[in-house]
């Protein structure tokens, strides 16, 4: 996958790139680029934002600045490329969307800042608008990291173990339910025991027990428990 992240703060991603699954994805042939809107802004003194028409507090990222950044990276050849604007009012990000995006050979995430991004970016320049939750972050960088993390770990080899991503929460293997609980040593801690069945050696019953717990968790999630 070639993943491009447009941002005003490329340095935010320095830590992200040190993470093992991100390094694995890169070692496996994926490419990550961080593109700074200020490097390509057509305005003087690195300006990228402006006051909102109609008045109001805060600044808005300009459409010409975002367009110039995309133009510098791709020219007019954007066909087939998924370009995603990170915004609190976008499509809710979930495991299904992560899998969908992980199948893209080319993916672009646009981070906004300030009060928001000129709506014409959403109307004319992007293919998707995605939200990581119904709350407002100070910018799209953390949201883009969340999306990049969830997407990159799905790429072959990213987790270093072929099965790690198979039977995890919300996967088809678990019928879309959350993952079953995990336990490890010690078997008893402060009187808290692990479920006996996990050390029974009966793999079929262990599988059934896990499927049951996973279904239960799915049901209690929906009830808000
Ligand atoms: N930018 C600011 N808040 C956001 C959110 N909740 N999701 C995606 N992008 C954002």
């Amino acid at each position: 996958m070639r993943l491009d992240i447009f941002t005003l703060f490329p340095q935010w991603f320095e830590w992200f790139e040190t993470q093992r699954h991100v390094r694995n994805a890169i070692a496996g042939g994926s490419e990550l680029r961080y593109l700074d809107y200020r490097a390509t802004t057509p305005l003087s003194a690195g300006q990228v934002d402006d006051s909102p028409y109609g008045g109001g507090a805060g600044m808005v990222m300009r459409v010409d600045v975002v367009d110039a950044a995309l133009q510098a990276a791709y020219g007019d050849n954007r066909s087939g490329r998924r370009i995603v604007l990170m915004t609190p009012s976008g499509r809710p990000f979930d495991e299904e969307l992560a899998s969908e995006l992980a199948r893209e050979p080319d993916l672009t995430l646009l981070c906004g800042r300030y009060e928001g991004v000129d709506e014409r970016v959403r109307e004319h320049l992007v293919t998707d608008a995605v939200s990581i939750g119904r709350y407002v972050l100070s910018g799209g960088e953390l949201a883009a990291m969340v999306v990049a993390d969830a997407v990159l770990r799905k790429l072959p080899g990213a987790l270093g173990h072929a099965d790690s991503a198979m039977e995890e929460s919300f996967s088809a293997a678990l019928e879309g339910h959350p993952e079953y609980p995990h336990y490890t040593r010690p078997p008893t801690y402060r009187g808290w025991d692990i479920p006996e069945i996990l050390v029974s050696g009966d793999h079929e019953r262990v599988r059934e027990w896990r499927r049951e717990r996973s279904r239960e968790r799915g049901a209690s999630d929906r009830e808000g428990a």
Side-chain angles (χ1 to χ4, degrees):
M1 167 178 284
R2 277 173 305 188
L3 173 60
D4 289 344
I5 301 178
F6 288 74
T7 172
L8 287 169
F9 298 96
Q11 68 275 19
W12 277 49
F13 295 88
E14 282 169 16
W15 165 84
F16 181 67
E17 275 227 355
T18 66
Q19 300 309 296
R20 189 168 58 98
H21 63 290
V22 179
R23 280 190 283 122
N24 285 347
I26 293 170
S30 291
E31 284 172 34
L32 263 76
R33 295 196 298 174
Y34 309 101
L35 300 119
D36 189 340
Y37 295 112
R38 283 193 212 282
T40 50
T41 179
L43 308 173
S44 57
Q47 186 189 347
V48 292
D49 59 344
D50 229 314
S51 44
Y53 282 120
M59 302 291 271
V60 176
M61 269 188 69
R62 289 175 53 132
V63 62
D64 50 353
V65 169
V66 177
D67 195 26
L70 290 170
Q71 193 69 31
Y74 312 127
D76 288 322
N77 181 23
R78 296 174 204 171
S79 62
R81 175 174 279 274
R82 202 85 180 253
I83 303 181
V84 178
L85 174 66
M86 303 310 306
T87 166
S89 63
R91 170 178 168 188
F93 186 62
D94 59 13
E95 198 63 21
E96 197 182 319
L97 182 50
S99 298
E100 193 182 309
L101 295 179
R103 289 193 289 271
E104 297 288 337
D106 297 306
L107 179 62
T108 296
L109 305 178
L110 301 183
C111 306
R113 273 273 149 180
Y114 310 111
E115 277 309 294
V117 177
D118 189 302
E119 188 62 16
R120 288 167 291 181
V121 169
R122 190 164 176 170
E123 290 167 350
H124 302 289
L125 296 178
V126 303
T127 58
D128 301 72
V130 168
S131 166
I132 64 158
R134 294 181 67 76
Y135 42 80
V136 182
L137 301 166
S138 52
E141 283 74 16
L142 287 173
M145 260 183 254
V146 166
V147 170
D149 186 296
V151 166
L152 290 176
R153 70 194 297 284
K154 289 187 179 293
L155 301 184
L159 298 184
H161 186 292
D163 294 337
S164 309
M166 283 290 290
E167 250 201 20
E168 65 180 7
S169 289
F170 319 114
S171 61
L174 293 179
E175 301 157 10
H177 296 308
E179 201 168 8
Y180 45 79
H182 297 282
Y183 297 89
T184 188
R185 279 181 278 275
T188 299
Y189 180 70
R190 293 174 60 182
W192 306 328
D193 295 328
I194 63 161
E196 281 280 320
I197 190 164
L198 295 179
V199 286
S200 67
D202 186 336
H203 300 301
E204 189 40 49
R205 281 182 62 218
V206 168
R207 251 196 303 280
E208 189 43 45
W209 180 89
R210 285 177 164 169
R211 272 197 292 266
E212 268 308 305
R213 299 292 82 70
S214 170
R215 277 188 212 117
E216 265 171 27
R217 283 194 160 171
S220 62
D221 270 6
R222 278 188 293 280
E223 286 152 18

